[in-house]
Amino acid sequence: MLIILILGWTGQTEGIIKGELKLPHPVIEKVFFQEKDYYRIKVEGLSHTASPGSPMLPVKSATFVVPTDAEIDSVLISPVVIETIALAGPVYPVQPAIPFILDSRGGDQVVPPDTLIYQSKSLWPYGWGGNRKVGLLGGYRLVMIEVHPCR
């Protein structure tokens, strides 16, 4: 799986950064949950979406260093080749994190699939990336972008 990233900015200097993400092919496994078959999609080295009830899909964070005065004005995320893989059922929904504290409550909470997402005819997430975050570290401006290789 190959994804192209282009980040553009303006400021005292204008610029563009181009990057490539080469990701391994996804692994799909069947999961039985709440008396129904679901499918879990994993890509080695990637985390997954975190909102309980949404489909559990792989996520890659890409971080770029830009000039400290840069104003990010464009982000383009585009797969080079789009491969369609048909699943025999829905994608497994994200469940809440289980606390590590032994006497805590909430580890047995089960969240059903979000009906707005699962009943929609649109792809989810709605784009190939998002959740742009900007911060400073050691005098450098960092831009982090989430990339969604599977939708």
Side-chain angles (χ1 to χ4, degrees):
M1 203 179 322
L2 179 63
I3 298 174
I4 303 295
L5 302 165
I6 301 174
L7 178 72
W9 70 85
T10 57
Q12 287 185 354
T13 60
E14 294 182 359
I16 292 178
I17 296 176
K18 295 178 184 177
E20 290 184 357
L21 286 177
K22 292 180 183 176
L23 304 173
H25 198 268
V27 174
I28 300 169
E29 60 185 30
K30 188 187 248 184
V31 178
F32 191 71
F33 173 70
Q34 292 187 326
E35 301 181 20
K36 188 175 179 182
D37 286 335
Y38 286 87
Y39 291 85
R40 184 175 293 156
I41 303 170
K42 295 180 179 181
V43 175
E44 184 181 333
L46 272 59
S47 60
H48 60 77
T49 50
S51 181
S54 67
M56 182 184 278
L57 294 172
V59 174
K60 170 71 176 169
S61 293
T63 304
F64 298 92
V65 179
V66 297
T68 54
D69 68 333
E71 292 293 328
I72 306 305
D73 59 8
S74 64
V75 176
L76 173 69
I77 300 170
S78 179
V80 173
V81 175
I82 297 174
E83 180 182 358
T84 300
I85 301 172
L87 301 177
V91 175
Y92 179 75
V94 175
Q95 295 301 303
I98 299 173
F100 288 112
I101 302 170
L102 295 177
D103 62 348
S104 66
R105 306 238 189 294
D108 57 355
Q109 180 185 6
V110 175
V111 175
D114 182 327
T115 55
L116 289 174
I117 297 171
Y118 281 80
Q119 291 178 1
S120 172
K121 298 214 185 293
S122 299
L123 293 175
W124 191 90
Y126 304 110
W128 293 108
N131 244 1
R132 180 173 60 195
K133 298 176 184 172
V134 179
L136 293 172
L137 179 64
Y140 295 97
R141 181 171 222 144
L142 304 177
V143 179
M144 187 185 84
I145 301 165
E146 285 186 354
V147 178
H148 304 282
C150 301
R151 300 172 54 203

